[in-house]
């Protein structure tokens, strides 16, 4: 394996909002038209309600500039802000690094368990514990090699005072069953205001595994809710149901790689569809989000998913979906001061379409969409907001970047 070139970069692109270079060039988009003009893959499918897909395009009038703060990261996956303004960044092959706001990239943090980096696996998300100021605990997800295959696990440990290692590492959650595959680990992490930890999981992609997204005896294709030590909250929705795994919060997901928790405690997730069907969900306790029985879009090989059903009684509809897909990564709510017009908006990393999607919300409905950072031209894996309100992102490339997007006026 080659050693990454961990060099800080000083590439900055400054622009006026009128030219739209940090977002999509929407000057030619008619008022009220969607930013998406390509035909949908699910050609005969209709949204369940107005605005569920192809929301009207919006445009930020504030000038913006992006700066590539650091480069040479190898397939970075997770991004988390430390209280001192430095960033924890995971690299999928199995390394965790600390990167300063000035672009200095540290040596790999020692003490993490081994990962299975094949396919979509490896070291995945990372979050700072809610009591970090007192206990310096961090949490991370990864594809854990096991006898007979692998599965998603979550561990925690104390980040040493000098940031060079994690101590007292403890695996607090292991998804089951173990499976010998390389796809759909899910794996985003988020703490709720009450200190509960949410973990998102994929259904492992293969046709034989898809039905497990509907099986309460399997963790596959589920959102998980545990206490910070991995124990099960007594108010989880399936705690008392025979045959159900008590960690499960919701079911019927395909591959959830983004989660964001609103100030009121609402849990929002974003998951990958096939050819069409990337979806934003308001992820509520005990509810079923449909996969693989109900979905928008079509199979990768073409043709309908099951019978092409997009709605069914007892199945939750996504609040928003994309067809064609953007291939969503991480997601966060914007709560900063730098772009006051964005407060309460969702920011969604886009891998395939290489941008950040800004979704304007009114209540639980998407009423506008803007595409940011399009001129960077790289797969955006995760997105976060710094204390000053600037937006930071990492790009999922072999020469991955840490990028800062900030206002210029």
């Amino acid at each position: 394996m080659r050693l990454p070139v961990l060099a800080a970069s000083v590439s900055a692109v400054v622009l006026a909002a009128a030219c739209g270079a940090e977002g999509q060039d929407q000057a030619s988009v008619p008022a009220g038209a969607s930013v998406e003009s390509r035909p949908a893959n699910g050609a005969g499918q209709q949204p369940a309600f107005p605005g569920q897909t192809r929301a009207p395009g919006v445009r930020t009038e504030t000038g913006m500039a992006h700066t590539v703060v650091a480069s040479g990261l190898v397939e970075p996956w997770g991004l988390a802000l430390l209280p001192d303004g430095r960033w924890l960044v995971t690299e999928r092959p199995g390394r965790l690094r600390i990167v300063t706001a000035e672009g200095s990239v540290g040596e790999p943090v020692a003490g993490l368990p081994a990962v299975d980096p094949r396919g979509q696996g490896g070291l995945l998300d990372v979050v700072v514990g809610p009591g970090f100021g007192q206990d310096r605990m961090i949490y991370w997800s990864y594809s854990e090699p096991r006898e007979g295959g692998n599965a998603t696990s979550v561990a925690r440990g104390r980040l040493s005072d000098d940031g060079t290692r994690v101590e007292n590492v403890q695996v607090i959650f292991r998804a089951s069953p173990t499976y010998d595959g390389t796809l759909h680990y899910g794996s985003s992490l988020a703490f709720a205001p009450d200190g509960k930890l949410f973990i998102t999981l994929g259904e492992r992609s293969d046709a034989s595994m898809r039905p497990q997204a509907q099986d309460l005896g399997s963790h596959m294709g589920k959102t998980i809710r545990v206490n910070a030590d991995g124990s099960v909250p007594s108010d989880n929705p399936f705690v008392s149901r025979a045959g159900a795994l008590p960690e499960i919060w919701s079911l019927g997901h395909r591959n959830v790689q983004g989660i964001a928790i609103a100030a009121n405690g609402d849990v929002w997730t974003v998951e990958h569809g096939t050819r069409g069907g990337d979806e934003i969900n308001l992820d509520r306790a005990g509810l079923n989000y449909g996969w693989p029985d109900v979905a928008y879009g079509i199979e990768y090989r073409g043709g309908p998913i099951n019978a092409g059903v997009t709605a069914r009684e007892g199945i939750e509809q996504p609040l928003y979906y994309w067809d064609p897909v953007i291939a969503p990564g991480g997601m966060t709510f914007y709560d900063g001061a730098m772009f006051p017009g964005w407060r309460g908006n969702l920011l969604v990393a886009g891998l395939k379409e290489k941008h950040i999607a800004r979704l304007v919300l009114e209540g639980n409905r998407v009423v506008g969409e803007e595409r940011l950072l399009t001129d960077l031209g790289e797969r955006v894996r995760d997105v976060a907001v710094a204390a000053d309100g600037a937006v930071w992102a990492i790009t999922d490339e072999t020469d991955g970047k840490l990028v800062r997007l900030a206002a210029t006026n």
Side-chain angles (χ1 to χ4, degrees):
M1 182 182 296
R2 71 176 180 88
L3 293 176
V5 179
L6 297 172
S9 173
V10 292
S11 168
V13 180
V14 181
L15 45 98
C19 72
E22 287 292 351
Q24 76 281 35
D25 185 358
Q26 291 179 237
S28 60
V29 177
S34 169
V35 298
E36 179 59 74
S37 59
R38 296 171 296 173
N41 291 288
Q45 296 172 350
Q46 297 297 317
F49 52 84
Q52 190 184 22
T53 190
R54 299 181 181 241
V58 295
R59 187 170 63 175
T60 302
E61 296 303 324
T62 303
M64 289 178 278
H66 81 253
T67 304
V68 176
V69 175
S71 59
L73 298 161
V74 179
E75 297 179 341
W77 207 100
L79 179 65
L81 182 64
L82 289 167
D84 62 6
R86 296 182 299 167
W87 294 94
L88 291 172
V89 180
T90 61
E91 292 177 304
R92 200 176 56 76
R95 295 178 293 270
L96 172 67
R97 298 184 188 271
I98 296 177
V99 185
T100 70
E102 295 73 39
S104 175
V105 181
E107 292 297 315
V109 175
L112 274 71
V115 306
D116 184 345
R118 297 176 300 153
Q120 296 175 357
L123 182 58
L124 302 171
D125 206 8
V126 61
V127 292
V128 174
F132 182 86
Q134 292 73 46
D135 59 22
R136 295 188 62 80
M137 296 296 290
I138 63 172
Y139 295 70
W140 62 93
S141 59
Y142 61 106
S143 56
E144 181 182 46
R146 304 179 191 168
E147 183 176 354
N150 54 52
T152 302
S153 294
V154 177
R156 68 176 183 172
R158 181 185 184 276
L159 184 65
S160 63
D161 293 341
D162 61 5
T164 62
R165 64 192 183 281
V166 286
E167 304 165 335
N168 305 319
V169 172
Q170 175 190 15
V171 179
I172 63 167
F173 173 79
R174 285 187 166 98
S176 64
T178 297
Y179 179 67
D180 190 14
T182 63
L183 302 174
H184 289 199
Y185 296 93
S187 216
S188 281
L189 307 174
F191 277 99
D194 64 1
K196 301 298 189 287
L197 176 63
F198 284 84
I199 304 162
T200 69
L201 299 172
E203 88 318 15
R204 303 309 305 275
S205 182
D206 295 345
S208 63
M209 294 297 288
R210 281 184 176 185
Q212 293 201 20
Q214 292 292 320
D215 181 359
L216 289 173
S218 166
H219 288 128
M220 304 299 106
K222 310 300 192 300
T223 298
I224 302 299
R225 178 181 182 250
V226 295
N227 295 314
D229 63 359
S231 61
V232 177
S234 61
D235 60 347
N236 268 9
F238 300 109
V239 163
S240 301
R241 183 176 297 190
L245 294 172
E247 301 88 358
I248 294 173
W249 173 260
S250 65
L251 66 152
H253 300 288
R254 185 169 181 268
N255 189 26
V256 184
Q257 292 190 334
I259 184 169
I261 299 182
N264 65 359
D266 282 350
V267 180
W268 295 63
T269 55
V270 61
E271 66 187 76
H272 288 258
T274 51
R275 288 174 59 189
D278 289 349
E279 57 185 53
I280 301 274
N281 286 300
L282 181 53
D283 202 332
R284 289 180 164 149
L287 297 185
N288 186 340
Y289 291 85
W291 181 258
D293 299 333
V294 174
Y296 289 92
I298 60 175
E299 294 279 10
Y300 287 120
R301 63 180 180 271
I305 300 167
N306 287 336
V309 176
T310 60
R312 181 176 293 170
E313 186 176 356
I315 300 297
E316 296 302 301
Q317 281 287 318
L319 298 186
Y320 195 68
Y321 71 88
W322 288 274
D323 182 5
V325 300
I326 66 167
M331 176 171 71
T332 192
F333 280 99
Y334 186 83
D335 60 356
M338 188 173 290
F339 297 98
W342 293 4
R343 285 184 180 147
N345 292 181
L346 274 175
L347 301 178
V348 183
L351 292 157
K352 182 178 183 294
E353 293 305 311
K354 301 181 179 180
H355 67 262
I356 297 171
R358 179 174 73 91
L359 301 180
V360 181
L361 303 178
E362 286 184 2
N364 295 331
R365 291 287 184 263
V366 176
V367 297
E369 180 174 358
E370 180 177 21
R371 295 183 172 181
L372 306 169
L373 214 64
T374 55
D375 60 332
L376 184 63
E378 297 195 12
R379 290 162 49 88
V380 183
R381 165 58 69 182
D382 202 4
V383 59
V385 180
D388 65 355
V391 174
W392 291 67
I394 47 175
T395 65
D396 183 11
E397 307 282 351
T398 54
D399 177 17
K401 312 294 194 303
L402 176 64
V403 182
R404 179 178 186 263
L405 177 65
T408 58
N409 59 13

